[in-house]
Amino acid sequence: MYSLLFKTVFARMDPEKAHRLAFALIRLAACLPVVRGLIAARYAPRREELRVHALGRSMPGPFGLAAGFDKNAEGIDGLSLLGFDHVEVGTVTGQAQPGNPRKRLFRLPPDRALINRMGFNNDGSAAVAARLADRGRARGRARGRGSSGGSGGSAGAAAVVGVNIGKTKAVPEEDAAADYVTSARALAVHADYLVVNVSSPNTPGLRALQATEALRPLLGAVREAADEAVPDRRVPLLVKIAPDLADEDVDAVADLAVELGLDGIIATNTTIARDGLGLSGDPSVVAETGGLSGAPLRERSLEVLRRLYLRVGDRLTLVGVGGITTAEDAWQRILAGARLVQGYSAFVYEGPGWARKLHEGLAERLAASPYATLAEAVGAGNRKAEAA
Ligand SMILES: Cc1cc2nc3c(=O)[nH]c(=O)nc-3n(C[C@H](O)[C@H](O)[C@H](O)COP(=O)(O)O)c2cc1C
């Protein structure tokens, strides 16, 4: 059904317009009680055996929507209805900005991939903080009335909300930390976890912040700002890295994260490489500048994750993202060391039933495995490989 809709409607539209339309429908569905109930019953029932504990929260499952889909925190409840266990909003920057000129998002359907150079188009930290505060108040009122709030019915557990922050393009690189601090101060209070994004390829100079000399003071400043802004709760802090880092730089970030007491690493963002694009015939699209995501990214993201797990083990929460399409992909990421997994590009191609399919497949794999819980399976693939 969705593949027909994709072929006949979305694929004929400009990808960014299609995104806006699909997202508007998701948000609309969350506002209409009857529709919300129907969707929740179809897409959101969670499997108790997939419940995970991560980043100080109990989550209905390990599978979240990666940053970039809901940049401005406008549709968390609708996305939660579709079965995402966590939703990472952003990237949000200190100041509002329009992003790069259009056209800036491209599909490569035969490769199940996307190329984007959105450039952090977003409403800015103050506006997104205000939106998250409104949502918090609305949920508080709904709880007061005894209803289940935004998620509805058996969806029950609302998604955990991560907030991903990045640098405003106009801010010079030497002032990057202050810009992240502006966002952390405004947003930490609304975040179940906070992510320092230093890995998008579409903001000049951003990825240089992954070098430990730049990353150390940046992470320190964001940690301090979050602690000052939210004195009664330690907001978990993660860093999101690029798949294009050299292996030794992956190790250096891992060591730094442990040293600084970070809570986790998200691996990975999009790649500037163009490997693995075997099928998409249109070389002009392949040549577009930007970050490649989707299936061609799978192997490198998995490799980075595995490397991270071998380095840090269970000391950090590792979040696996990049090219996850099927339940098997997600399962392999968990065996490689991911406590949480995320995806974005496959949502475009798989549609609203994607999270449910993933949950079902994961539950089947867990049942057929020697592990009683998902937590037991985390990193088990690496432990086996080491023992062999
Ligand atoms: C259109 C688009 C926009 C994105 N925007 C962001 C962003 O703002 N911040 C971020 O950290 N990652 C962003 N990403 C990267 C995703 O969060 C994810 O790391 C990457 O796409 C790999 O996952 P996937 O292969 O499942 O898409 C974006 C990805 C896409 C496709």
Side-chain angles (χ1 to χ4, degrees), residues 285-299:
V285 177
V286 175
E288 291 290 351
T289 304
L292 172 71
S293 57
L297 187 54
R298 180 175 47 224
E299 286 317 309

Side-chain angles (χ1 to χ4, degrees), residues 169-358:
K169 186 178 180 187
V171 166
E173 279 155 47
E174 58 273 21
D175 298 334
D179 193 61
Y180 280 87
V181 161
T182 300
S183 296
R185 281 204 186 112
L187 292 160
V189 69
H190 306 295
D192 290 314
Y193 69 88
L194 205 57
V195 182
V196 170
N197 177 14
V198 281
S199 48
S200 291
N202 303 313
T203 297
L206 190 88
R207 293 181 315 154
L209 297 171
Q210 291 173 112
T212 49
E213 338 49 280
L215 195 54
R216 182 190 299 278
L218 172 61
L219 292 173
V222 171
R223 178 72 273 165
E224 208 177 294
D227 289 343
E228 274 171 22
V230 194
D232 55 339
R233 174 170 69 93
R234 191 177 171 288
V235 180
L237 182 64
L238 296 86
V239 62
K240 181 166 178 180
I241 64 172
D244 307 316
L245 284 178
D247 287 346
E248 47 283 15
D249 295 330
V250 172
D251 295 345
V253 173
D255 294 347
L256 181 69
V258 171
E259 181 199 320
L260 297 181
L262 241 64
D263 298 273
I265 301 180
I266 303 186
T268 68
N269 215 309
T270 57
T271 177
I272 54 168
R274 292 292 181 266
D275 304 334
L277 280 170
L279 304 166
S280 297
D282 188 345
S284 65
V285 177
V286 175
E288 291 290 351
T289 304
L292 172 71
S293 57
L297 187 54
R298 180 175 47 224
E299 286 317 309
R300 177 60 187 159
S301 291
L302 176 59
E303 199 177 20
V304 171
L305 173 73
R306 197 172 276 138
R307 192 167 185 97
L308 286 170
Y309 188 77
L310 290 173
R311 194 93 181 168
V312 304
D314 296 321
R315 288 179 289 175
L316 299 178
T317 296
L318 299 180
V319 183
V321 52
I324 293 178
T325 301
T326 62
E328 181 59 24
D329 297 334
W331 180 241
Q332 289 307 325
R333 236 38 90 96
I334 290 166
L335 292 178
R339 194 160 292 273
L340 300 174
V341 286
Q342 301 180 331
Y344 179 155
S345 302
F347 191 27
V348 171
Y349 296 113
E350 298 286 314
W354 184 40
R356 188 181 74 167
K357 248 201 267 176
L358 236 111

Side-chain angles (χ1 to χ4, degrees), residues 19-89:
H19 170 83
R20 278 210 302 277
L21 172 64
F23 195 21
L25 292 173
I26 292 169
R27 295 199 310 263
L28 178 68
C31 297
L32 306 171
V34 175
V35 181
R36 193 173 71 197
L38 289 172
I39 294 180
R42 179 162 173 78
Y43 294 118
R46 306 302 213 273
R47 319 277 298 225
E48 206 38 48
E49 65 272 34
L50 296 183
R51 181 163 285 282
V52 290
H53 204 88
L55 302 172
R57 299 270 161 180
S58 174
M59 307 192 194
F63 184 51
L65 184 60
F69 190 94
D70 187 2
K71 287 182 184 275
N72 293 310
E74 294 170 303
I76 296 164
D77 297 314
L79 293 163
S80 168
L81 268 186
L82 293 180
F84 292 105
D85 303 309
H86 67 271
V87 175
E88 191 170 307
V89 303

